[in-house]
Amino acid sequence: MFQGSFDLDLAVPVTATAIPDVLFERGLYWASGRSGVVNLVAAHKWFNLAAVKGRCDAIQMRREVAELMTEAEIATAQREARDWMKTH
């Protein structure tokens, strides 16, 4: 059982701080093949979104993934990232 207190004046919503980390984790998930499948298009998309949301290390991860991709795959990942931004 929680025993403590919350300072509601200093509290920040989880979504305001966690979203870049969640997006970055999704990139790692697809880049590493944790699901049993490596999906570089998905990894690039999520690293791109994490970078847009301020996660600086996602930029380097996106570059590393892009080195393994074709131009068409990169274009697909970028299009998927734009589509995600429109709906979220």
Side-chain angles (χ1 to χ4, degrees):
M1 174 185 279
F2 175 76
Q3 294 180 357
S5 63
F6 291 102
D7 184 343
L8 297 179
D9 293 326
L10 297 175
V12 178
V14 172
T15 56
T17 59
I19 197 158
D21 296 335
V22 171
L23 299 172
F24 185 81
E25 257 315 299
R26 287 184 181 182
L28 288 176
Y29 177 84
W30 290 110
S32 67
R34 289 183 196 165
S35 66
V37 176
V38 172
N39 184 333
L40 297 179
V41 171
H44 189 283
K45 167 189 164 181
W46 294 114
F47 287 139
N48 194 19
L49 291 166
V52 167
K53 296 290 186 177
R55 180 82 189 241
C56 295
D57 54 346
I59 297 168
Q60 180 59 36
M61 295 300 290
R62 182 185 59 204
R63 283 185 191 135
E64 290 178 22
V65 169
E67 290 176 4
L68 304 171
M69 299 169 67
T70 66
E71 288 183 28
E73 290 171 324
I74 294 169
T76 299
Q78 290 172 336
R79 188 171 39 259
E80 289 181 10
R82 281 192 302 273
D83 291 344
W84 189 90
M85 290 291 286
K86 288 178 188 175
T87 60
H88 294 87

